[in-house]
């Protein structure tokens, strides 16, 4: 662990006195006997002696699966050593101290911080190690790609031209959840639904101004249909987030007014 | 398998140790052995070791672990004493070591050293109270 990584532990240890004034001493050391953080009341020699004594117990405690917790209770004070992966938190506190606070510091706060530090520490280690291996093992291969990349850069614009047609299909297809309204009337086409014009405009913008003519509608029970779509002409507030569906399509979807359907544009 | 071993040694303490204190020690040892025999029956308790300077009782379910557990309890007693000295902790009541598989409670009453071995789920608080009675 680097100093920067241990700092959060030191900061937390320094706060222990505030959180639990009855805590007189705290120390975190690793399984190699190295001090990671402490409240600096003890001398280095004393700390080493403490770790050495603890290690003597830990060695024998392998017979019970290694130490998870060590609690020494004196009449007025107690010393606890809690294992957290490869780290050990030692805390000396008065027995009058709130055991709930002591436990939450020992068993929740510090172990959580240690886990977070370990998670953060693991990420850069992985990313740092992989290029190092690549550089050592395949120096020539790494040197060649930039050379190859240069001629590739030129044909890319040419290659992009035919791909543009796919770009319109490939982007993320938005799915909107809209509320069903029944639309009736003699002039209402039975194969066309009407959708809030704002939603239609957003879809159109997303696909580079392309007009959306068809939509996929899926009822909550999984029934699906594809039909023509037009924007709702009315600019009333109540059409926001609504889809007006003619009776025949409603029957196909087996849904009704007031229910929700998932709607996504069909772009060809 | 349950095994009970009693070892009595006649060490040469006659010159240095007063007879009265030896008798007191034996009484304490007898009281403790009776308490531990009760504790041994508790759910989750897998055994105990009681030793004084001259006597020892070992009662452990797993016979093959007697030596391991004896060394462990002895090490806990010695090292924990050293650890507490550094923090000026006096009058130690108990030392509890929780492992992944089991836990050990070590206590000292006069010259008598006690090690109670139990499953992790066992309640040790009552045992401490019972021994300190």
């Amino acid at each position: 662990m680097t100093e920067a990584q241990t700092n959060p532990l030191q900061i937390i240890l320094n706060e222990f006195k505030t959180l639990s004034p009855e805590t007189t001493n705290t120390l975190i050391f690793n399984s190699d006997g190295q001090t990671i953080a402490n409240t600096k009341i003890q001398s280095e020699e004393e700390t080493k002696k403490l770790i050495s004594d603890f290690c003597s117990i830990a060695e024998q405690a392998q017979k019970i699966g290694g130490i998870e917790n060590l609690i020494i209770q004196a009449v007025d004070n107690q010393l606890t050593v809690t294992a957290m992966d490869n780290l050990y938190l030692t805390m000396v506190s008065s027995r009058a101290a709130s055991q709930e606070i002591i436990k939450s510091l020992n068993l929740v706060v510090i172990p959580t911080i240690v886990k977070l530090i370990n998670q953060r520490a693991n990420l850069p280690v992985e990313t740092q190690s992989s290029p190092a291996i690549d550089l050592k093992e395949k120096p020539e291969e790494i040197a060649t790609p930039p050379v190859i990349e240069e001629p590739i850069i030129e044909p890319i614009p040419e290659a992009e031209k035919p791909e543009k047609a796919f770009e319109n299909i490939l982007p993320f297809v938005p799915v909107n959840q809209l509320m069903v309204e029944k639309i009736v009337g003699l002039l209402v086409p039975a194969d066309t639904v009407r959708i809030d014009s704002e939603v239609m405009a957003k879809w159109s913008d997303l696909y580079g101004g392309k007009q959306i003519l068809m939509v996929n509608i899926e009822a909550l029970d999984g029934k699906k249909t594809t039909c023509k779509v037009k924007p709702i002409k009315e600019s009333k507030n109540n059409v926001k987030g609504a889809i007006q569906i003619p009776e025949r399509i409603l029957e196909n979807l087996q849904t009704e007014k007031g229910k929700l359907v998932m709607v996504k544009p069909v772009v060809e | 398998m349950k095994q009970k071993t009693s070892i009595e040694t006649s060490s040469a303490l006659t010159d240095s140790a007063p007879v009265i204190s030896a008798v007191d020690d034996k009484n304490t040892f007898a009281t403790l052995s009776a308490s531990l025999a009760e504790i041994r029956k508790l759910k989750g308790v897998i055994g105990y070791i009681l030793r004084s300077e001259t006597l020892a009782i070992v009662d452990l379910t797993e016979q093959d672990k007697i030596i391991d557990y004896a060394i462990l309890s002895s090490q806990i007693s010695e090292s924990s004493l050293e650890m507490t000295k550094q923090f000026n902790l006096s009058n130690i009541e108990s030392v509890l070591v929780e492992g992944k598989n089991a836990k050990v409670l070590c206590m000292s009453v006069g010259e008598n050293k006690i090690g109670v071995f139990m499953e992790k789920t066992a309640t040790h608080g009552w045992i401490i109270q019972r021994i300190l009675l």
Side-chain angles (χ1 to χ4, degrees), chain B residues 63-127:
Chain B
Q63 194 185 348
D64 57 328
K65 288 185 178 172
I66 288 175
I67 294 168
D68 285 347
Y69 281 6
I71 295 170
L72 172 61
S73 62
S74 175
Q75 188 69 60
I76 292 170
S77 298
E78 282 173 27
S79 297
S80 60
L81 194 66
E82 291 300 313
M83 288 168 81
T84 53
K85 276 180 192 170
Q86 292 181 47
F87 295 102
N88 299 319
L89 302 187
S90 54
N91 299 328
I92 300 170
E93 276 186 0
S94 66
V95 183
L96 180 78
V97 177
E98 285 184 296
K100 280 176 189 163
N101 312 322
K103 60 184 178 182
V104 190
L105 175 70
C106 292
M107 294 177 76
S108 292
V109 179
E111 295 299 318
N112 303 290
K113 311 274 183 201
I114 301 160
V116 181
F117 302 87
M118 58 197 112
E119 289 168 5
K120 283 192 78 180
T121 49
T123 315
H124 62 270
W126 186 86
I127 297 172

Side-chain angles (χ1 to χ4, degrees), chain B residues 4-75:
Chain B
K4 194 163 183 174
T5 313
S6 182
I7 307 156
E8 188 160 352
T9 54
S10 56
S11 59
L13 287 170
T14 45
D15 291 343
S16 56
V19 176
I20 295 166
S21 100
V23 170
D24 281 349
D25 249 9
K26 279 194 174 181
N27 285 340
T28 312
F29 186 88
T31 312
L32 285 171
S33 71
S35 300
L36 286 165
E38 255 182 61
I39 289 164
R40 177 71 178 89
K41 292 172 192 165
L42 292 173
K43 194 182 174 187
V45 175
I46 53 179
Y48 69 88
I49 295 171
L50 168 65
R51 63 187 169 91
S52 70
E53 286 185 351
T54 55
L55 300 163
I57 297 175
V58 181
D59 184 350
L60 281 165
T61 310
E62 293 167 277
Q63 194 185 348
D64 57 328
K65 288 185 178 172
I66 288 175
I67 294 168
D68 285 347
Y69 281 6
I71 295 170
L72 172 61
S73 62
S74 175
Q75 188 69 60

Side-chain angles (χ1 to χ4, degrees), chain A residues 123-137 142:
Chain A
L123 290 173
V125 167
E126 283 166 14
T127 48
Q128 279 164 17
S129 62
S130 53
I133 291 162
D134 288 349
L135 285 168
K136 282 173 189 172
E137 288 178 355
I142 288 166

Side-chain angles (χ1 to χ4, degrees), chain A residues 77-122:
Chain A
N77 303 308
Q78 63 180 12
L79 186 151
T80 59
V81 184
T82 310
M84 306 164 289
D85 295 332
N86 289 326
L87 297 181
Y88 297 91
L89 167 66
T90 308
M91 185 190 280
V92 180
S93 60
S94 161
R95 283 184 73 176
S98 164
Q99 294 306 306
E100 284 179 7
I101 294 174
I102 299 282
K103 275 185 182 174
S104 71
L105 291 171
N106 265 352
L107 305 174
V108 181
V109 177
I110 292 288
T112 306
I113 291 164
V114 167
K115 273 186 186 175
L116 288 170
I117 291 168
N118 284 343
Q119 279 172 8
R120 283 188 65 185
N122 285 340

